[in-house]
Amino acid sequence: MSSTAEKSQPRLLRDVNLYIIFGITLTAVMGVSSIAPAFPSIADAMHVSAQQIGLLITFFTLPGIFITPVLGILADRFGRKVVLVPSLILFGIAGTACAFATSFEQMLFFRALQGMGSASLGALNLTLIGDLYSGNQRATAMGYNGSVLSIGTAFYPAVGGALAVLGWHYPFFLSLLAIPVGLFVLTHLEKTGSDGGLNMTEIFSNVASSLISKKVIPLFVGIFLTFIMLYGGYITFFTILLDEKFEQNSLWIGIILSGSSFMTAYASSQLGKLTKRFSEVNLIRTAAILYLSIFLMLPLVENIWWFIIPVIIFGAAQGINIPSILNLLTGYADKEYRAAFLSVNWVVMRTGQALGPYILGLVYAGISLNATFYAAAIAAGLFMISSFFFMKKEWYAFEETVL
């Protein structure tokens, strides 16, 4: 166990490693949310349609689906810093280069490079938490990290939107912040991971055997369905509901979504306290019930002020669910191949993120807007079944003691 893992709870918040992890997390979620408000301006400047501008997300996201597992294996083979530092530098340089693009094709090329830089960040920040902390302290660190992620998700659109008022170029300059984060990783992050002792065959074998475990599959199913609901039912079609039925402008839609993110941040920050009283499995089951109730509720709301209830509930469900699943996955994987294992989880999350809007979009086009929420409720129901019948608390008892 590292010296960091032995620190008392108050000292955890004074640990420089934790703040470096926060920096990696904030970089990982910067790539889309900070530039999204500038999309209309970019479309005008580059003379592309609203449909084409979505390629800025696609080109950023796709590289991660393919190369994240490879980068995870490299991080297990050669150490976390060897992958993290070049990734952060590439993210910063390629993201900033987008501001100087003279054509949309050139911008897409830079976005693909930036996506390659981003590919490892969402997996390796969790890997570092697993490397550096154990037991309840790991749950606390995971909760704090979830809070930071939610705060970044809430604030980046506002910051990016304010910069976009000055010109479409300016939100891209936020990417420069990744470079000092990379330098801090290089100079101040505690060294973790392998020194090259594991071979590729050994890593592949260990990860493959873990992925088919009856303990892991329900967690992957849970995170996949969560991202279907988040990016399909909530971020995409809840915003459409606010626009079509309640005629809210983008400012108020952003404020409503930010309220949910702040609730997620608060709930995540309490994870360490919650896991002292409740198991992660019970927290996940509670979240599944909340998701189901929310998506059954949304089509029935007739007064916009009543959305305060589902927005708060959804934020709370996110805050206890995602960090709990990630904490169990992080604790399950052996340190020697943790990065490769969590990289697969990152691919599962990205796949849910990509499929959610697409699948529910088919429901929207073929049936109705309200039907998208009932489809999301079906996903919540499947998640609830998985959590109650295929997750056993005793399987994860090691979370209380070991690592």
Side-chain angles (χ1 to χ4, degrees):
M1 183 182 296
S2 72
S3 59
T4 308
E6 297 168 353
K7 291 184 173 68
S8 63
Q9 196 88 344
R11 291 186 64 192
L12 176 64
L13 289 174
R14 297 196 297 269
D15 180 17
V16 68
N17 293 292
L18 186 63
Y19 291 95
I20 292 173
I21 292 169
F22 291 165
I24 296 168
T25 297
L26 287 172
T27 304
V29 299
M30 180 193 298
V32 173
S33 57
S34 65
I35 68 165
F39 280 179
S41 300
I42 296 171
D44 289 340
M46 295 294 172
H47 307 293
V48 297
S49 68
Q51 183 177 4
Q52 288 175 297
I53 204 68
L55 292 174
L56 290 176
I57 296 177
T58 303
F59 272 67
F60 178 81
T61 304
L62 280 178
I65 294 177
F66 297 104
I67 70 171
T68 298
V70 176
L71 295 175
I73 291 171
L74 293 176
D76 282 331
R77 180 73 173 82
F78 300 107
R80 318 311 187 201
K81 290 186 179 184
V82 172
V83 174
L84 272 173
V85 174
S87 294
L88 288 161
I89 300 299
L90 177 60
F91 183 100
I93 293 174
T96 305
C98 292
F100 301 97
T102 56
S103 69
F104 190 60
E105 291 74 18
Q106 191 178 78
M107 184 178 289
L108 291 178
F109 172 72
F110 290 138
R111 284 290 285 172
L113 289 179
Q114 189 183 21
M116 294 173 66
S118 173
S120 69
L121 305 183
L124 290 186
N125 62 348
L126 304 179
T127 301
L128 289 170
I129 291 175
D131 289 345
L132 295 167
Y133 309 108
S134 66
N136 181 259
Q137 196 173 67
R138 186 178 64 243
T140 303
M142 195 69 72
Y144 287 153
N145 190 65
S147 296
V148 167
L149 186 150
S150 298
I151 291 170
T153 303
F155 273 114
Y156 275 139
V159 175
L163 291 173
V165 172
L166 303 175
W168 68 264
H169 314 74
Y170 291 97
F172 289 108
F173 289 115
L174 287 172
S175 301
L176 283 171
L177 295 173
I179 295 177
V181 174
L183 296 177
F184 269 99
V185 169
L186 180 64
T187 58
H188 290 81
L189 182 68
E190 184 174 330
K191 186 177 181 181
T192 63
S194 172
D195 291 317
L198 292 177
N199 59 53
M200 297 296 187
T201 303
E202 189 175 358
I203 294 173
F204 270 116
S205 175
N206 286 326
V207 171
S209 63
S210 296
L211 293 178
I212 60 175
S213 167
K214 64 180 181 180
K215 301 178 184 179
V216 170
I217 291 175
L219 297 174
F220 278 156
V221 168
I223 204 72
F224 175 75
L225 292 172
T226 296
F227 273 71
I228 290 281
M229 292 183 285
L230 172 61
Y231 282 90
Y234 193 72
I235 290 179
T236 302
F237 289 100
F238 179 49
T239 57
I240 291 176
L241 177 70
L242 292 172
D243 174 52
E244 290 189 359
K245 185 175 180 179
F246 296 94
E247 300 180 343
Q248 297 300 300
N249 60 33
S250 57
L251 173 63
W252 281 107
I253 291 173
I255 290 173
I256 291 170
L257 294 181
S258 293
S260 178
S261 295
F262 284 122
M263 187 63 204
T264 299
Y266 174 75
S268 297
S269 71
Q270 302 303 303
L271 188 67
K273 295 178 182 178
L274 289 171
T275 53
K276 288 182 178 179
R277 299 184 59 187
F278 311 101
S279 70
E280 280 94 341
V281 171
N282 280 340
L283 293 175
I284 293 167
R285 290 170 177 172
T286 301
I289 295 171
L290 293 177
Y291 288 138
L292 179 61
S293 65
I294 291 159
F295 287 112
L296 291 176
M297 186 189 310
L298 287 179
L300 305 178
V301 175
E302 296 296 333
N303 186 318
I304 192 168
W305 291 105
W306 284 105
F307 279 126
I308 293 173
I309 296 173
V311 164
I312 290 175
I313 293 175
F314 187 84
Q318 289 288 96
I320 63 174
N321 175 48
I322 294 179
S324 293
I325 292 178
L326 296 179
N327 190 40
L328 292 180
L329 285 170
T330 302
Y332 180 81
D334 288 344
K335 180 176 67 174
E336 290 78 10
Y337 58 94
R338 182 176 283 138
F341 178 80
L342 291 176
S343 295
V344 176
N345 175 65
W346 184 247
V347 172
V348 172
M349 292 165 62
R350 288 286 197 181
T351 304
Q353 178 182 349
L355 288 180
Y358 176 75
I359 294 172
L360 269 63
L362 295 177
V363 175
Y364 176 59
I367 307 177
S368 68
L369 176 58
N370 282 347
T372 64
F373 301 115
Y374 294 126
I378 292 173
L382 293 173
F383 183 22
M384 192 165 65
I385 291 170
S386 175
S387 64
F388 275 91
F389 294 99
F390 299 100
M391 291 184 194
K392 307 295 182 183
K393 286 185 287 185
E394 57 270 21
W395 289 350
Y396 311 104
F398 62 88
E399 293 296 315
E400 303 295 329
T401 56
V402 195
L403 289 172

